[in-house]
Amino acid sequence: MMSRKKIKSALISVYYKDNLEKIVTTLRKHGVAIYSTGGTYDFIKNIAEVRSVESLTGYPSILGGRVKTLHPKIFGGILSRRDNSSDKEDLAKYEIPEIDLIIVDLYPFSETLASGASHDEIVEKIDIGGISLIRAAAKNYTDTLIVSSRKQYPALLELLESKNGATELEDRIRYAADAFETTTTYDREISDYFASLLNKEKFSLNVSPANKLRYGENPHQKGVFYGKLDEIFTQLHGKEISYNNLLDIDAAFALIGDFAETTYAIIKHNNACGCASDNNPLEAWKKALAGDPISAFGGIIITNSPVDLQVAEEINKLFFEIILAPGYSDEALNILKSKKNRIILDVKTNSRQQKQFRSILNGVLVQDIDNISEDISYLKQVTKKAPTDREISDLLFANKLVKHSKSNTIVLVKDKQLLASGVGQTSRVDALKQAIEKAKNFGFSLSGAVMASDAFFPFPDCVEIASKEGITSVIHPGGSVRDQESVDFCDSADISMAITGYRHFKH
């Protein structure tokens, strides 16, 4: 089997004609005979010599264009095995020409769906002939090259020029693999649409490209990220992003997305070890770092504010792995680049998937992401004493943090600064004790602070402990059959309490 094969004939059938002219002129330059149909034929005939599919098959386009290329004279020419004597006899008997190159650009199904088009319009954008052409050409990769997307045009032009209108087996395998990925994605989108018409729960995923990581969570584990990170941020500096980096980056994105005011957060092992909001970016950074300057070492910094020189000078005093921000001044960037391996990411968008999924046992768990970010309208006062305006501001701030911390978790906040948190504990009391000890270790007074919990208090023990430390207001989801016991204690201790009605477990 010869690896290199000269392209002698091509069939072109595309929806979008953008950048097609250069492909056509290059093919003709290399003496390639071109077949086409419909609008593509009309486009090409003004550029170069082209033969219509209809003149080859002897059948016109029928059913309003639904059937154009579905014919043995087309698929026989694509699927024929060039080294198979029986196939050669069939081609000769039925006067079927070999077709060496197929260029297809499928009907824009997903774009039509996203446009809000009617059901009938969506269905008409389900490509039949194009999908069939792609699969046939990809199956016969030993003899046929399949170009399944207009995104491949630049690479195709380079291939044609560098190999003088020929292809190698390796080229054809690579394009065939891309083709089957194209058909898989296309069919999945259609399948998902029809499942939605039946309100049918269905899990399917096809994400590319694959980005091989140095390793997974630990060096003995393989790791790959599937997706397009460059749609989310641009890496301006630093080493390759690791598996664990990506987990922290995702946690950082989720957290910062709930804050509108200028905020800095420091993430360590998917939890915030420092966070503060302040109209002054420098103050926001200093307060965030003060929350836990020890854990901040080697952490990930994220902000929703552009980084200027003044802030960069302070940040640069800390050893950290990654910083994410929606822009940097030139002076700030020069300072932050002083460490060779430091990863600097310029954030383009904070859009995230609306579903979360994880492999478990012999299947997959899927859920909606936790999109609830409570504002004042969610708060229900349950104690005699109402929280002050400052306490309400702190309660909402703390509740955002508790939502993004590992359960069981307690968060302590004052003046929109994270004083301490207890995370990932098997009891809520342990989480509170951890937070209190941590706050004291860093010299914080808890007098006048607020407390947030990711779930209800099954007993009044947490509010009893909080009262002894001077905490004056509490927020939690509520929902325990013994809620009133915590409320009664708060009333006796002159503590205000609000419930939200929304639990924020995170495991």
Side-chain angles (χ1 to χ4, degrees):
M1 182 174 60
M2 291 179 58
S3 174
R4 175 165 285 214
K5 291 185 179 288
K6 185 78 172 176
I7 298 173
K8 292 178 270 188
S9 60
L11 171 63
I12 305 176
S13 179
V14 298
Y15 186 85
Y16 292 108
K17 315 301 186 290
D18 310 41
N19 303 315
L20 184 60
E21 182 174 351
K22 193 168 184 181
I23 297 288
V24 171
T25 56
T26 301
L27 288 173
R28 290 300 298 141
K29 183 179 77 172
H30 290 288
V32 178
I34 299 176
Y35 300 92
S36 192
T37 186
T40 311
Y41 171 81
D42 293 335
F43 178 84
I44 295 175
K45 72 180 182 180
N46 296 316
I47 302 168
E49 183 181 347
V50 58
R51 183 178 177 184
S52 70
V53 165
E54 292 80 0
S55 70
L56 175 61
T57 63
Y59 278 86
S61 171
I62 62 173
L63 305 181
R66 280 190 164 196
V67 180
K68 296 190 285 285
T69 58
L70 295 169
H71 194 279
K73 281 203 170 184
I74 298 300
F75 283 85
I78 297 170
L79 287 163
S80 64
R81 291 157 291 190
R82 310 305 195 253
D83 59 353
N84 185 294
S85 59
S86 178
D87 285 3
K88 288 181 178 181
E89 289 173 7
D90 284 342
L91 293 187
K93 181 178 179 180
Y94 298 106
E95 298 180 327
I96 299 173
E98 295 175 346
I99 302 176
D100 307 312
L101 169 65
I102 304 295
I103 301 177
V104 175
D105 183 44
L106 296 171
Y107 288 172
F109 176 83
S110 61
E111 292 90 335
T112 304
L113 178 61
S115 73
S118 69
H119 173 70
D120 287 347
E121 290 172 314
I122 292 168
V123 169
E124 283 306 309
K125 287 300 185 290
I126 298 176
D127 205 313
I128 304 301
I131 282 283
S132 301
L133 290 169
I134 291 173
R135 291 181 64 84
K139 176 178 179 176
N140 199 32
Y141 67 88
T142 53
D143 299 299
T144 306
L145 180 72
I146 172 62
V147 176
S148 55
S149 169
R150 65 187 187 276
K151 294 177 182 177
Q152 295 174 309
Y153 288 178
L156 174 62
L157 284 170
E158 184 178 342
L159 177 65
L160 293 171
E161 294 292 11
S162 64
K163 297 183 179 176
N164 197 29
T167 64
E168 304 285 351
L169 180 60
E170 181 183 352
D171 302 320
R172 298 190 294 276
I173 292 174
R174 185 172 67 253
Y175 277 76
D178 289 342
F180 283 121
E181 186 171 313
T182 297
T183 60
T184 298
T185 301
Y186 196 79
D187 286 340
R188 179 182 58 81
E189 290 167 347
I190 296 169
S191 173
D192 288 350
Y193 171 67
F194 276 88
S196 73
L197 297 179
L198 300 171
N199 294 316
K200 179 181 175 183
E201 290 292 338
K202 179 175 177 290
F203 177 77
S204 62
L205 186 69
N206 183 45
V207 183
S208 62
N211 302 276
K212 188 175 180 181
L213 305 173
R214 294 196 304 274
Y215 50 80
E217 199 161 6
N218 298 293
H220 63 277
Q221 296 170 273
K222 289 175 63 176
V224 181
F225 173 78
Y226 296 91
K228 300 176 181 178
L229 292 174
D230 57 359
E231 292 180 355
I232 306 297
F233 52 70
T234 300
Q235 183 167 350
L236 304 178
H237 183 73
K239 64 183 179 181
E240 179 186 344
I241 297 173
S242 72
Y243 182 99
N244 289 329
N245 288 158
L246 287 170
L247 290 176
D248 279 334
I249 288 170
D250 184 64
F253 267 115
L255 173 64
I256 208 70
D258 277 343
F259 289 90
E261 188 177 354
T262 297
T263 301
Y264 271 83
I266 306 166
I267 306 297
K268 199 72 174 288
H269 296 297
N270 306 161
N271 293 297
C273 62
C275 185
S277 294
D278 196 291
N279 290 331
N280 183 325
L282 181 59
E283 287 303 308
W285 163 249
K286 288 182 176 179
K287 290 178 181 177
L289 179 61
D292 187 347
I294 294 177
S295 295
F297 183 87
I300 287 181
I301 300 167
I302 190 166
T303 180
N304 54 8
S305 173
V307 178
D308 61 21
L309 173 62
Q310 193 177 23
V311 177
E313 287 175 335
E314 287 297 317
I315 290 176
N316 198 50
K317 296 175 182 177
L318 175 73
F319 169 75
F320 60 91
E321 289 248 345
I322 301 173
I323 183 167
L324 302 100
Y328 305 82
S329 71
D330 291 341
E331 298 86 355
L333 205 52
N334 287 335
I335 288 175
L336 294 173
K337 285 182 176 180
S338 62
K339 301 295 184 183
K340 181 179 67 174
N341 290 328
R342 179 181 288 164
I343 298 169
I344 303 173
L345 303 177
D346 189 3
V347 176
K348 298 177 182 178
T349 176
N350 196 8
S351 62
R352 303 175 70 240
Q353 297 189 59
Q354 294 305 300
K355 295 284 186 181
Q356 289 178 320
F357 43 89
R358 62 173 74 176
S359 59
I360 180 172
L361 300 175
N362 62 345
V364 178
L365 270 177
V366 182
Q367 68 171 354
D368 298 332
I369 67 167
D370 187 352
N371 268 328
I372 298 294
S373 184
E374 292 88 346
D375 58 27
I376 194 170
S377 66
Y378 286 77
L379 302 187
K380 178 183 177 182
Q381 179 186 333
V382 291
T383 49
K384 295 174 183 177
K385 182 180 180 182
T388 65
D389 289 345
R390 181 190 67 79
E391 286 172 336
I392 289 174
S393 178
D394 282 348
L395 289 173
L396 294 174
F397 181 97
N399 204 58
K400 288 178 172 63
L401 285 171
V402 88
K403 167 186 168 182
H404 296 286
S405 301
K406 296 288 186 181
S407 300
N408 287 309
T409 182
I410 293 288
V411 167
L412 306 178
V413 164
K414 186 175 181 180
D415 296 327
K416 290 184 285 189
Q417 178 188 18
L418 172 61
L419 302 183
S421 60
V423 299
Q425 298 301 303
T426 52
S427 85
R428 207 156 301 285
V429 170
D430 285 346
L432 175 56
K433 289 179 177 178
Q434 182 188 60
I436 291 170
E437 180 181 2
K438 192 172 183 181
K440 288 181 177 180
N441 285 343
F442 292 112
F444 289 113
S445 167
L446 294 177
S447 178
V450 307
M451 175 174 72
S453 174
D454 60 332
F456 63 65
F457 299 110
F459 305 102
D461 44 10
C462 280
V463 289
E464 291 169 359
I465 295 169
S467 172
K468 294 176 183 177
E469 300 299 332
I471 289 166
T472 56
S473 193
V474 177
I475 186 171
H476 69 115
S480 169
V481 294
R482 304 178 71 166
D483 272 351
Q484 193 58 44
E485 293 180 23
S486 293
V487 173
D488 290 343
F489 178 83
C490 286
D491 282 338
S492 69
D494 200 31
I495 294 173
S496 61
M497 176 183 282
I499 61 174
T500 65
Y502 288 90
R503 188 181 71 187
H504 291 295
F505 271 165
K506 186 181 180 188
H507 296 107

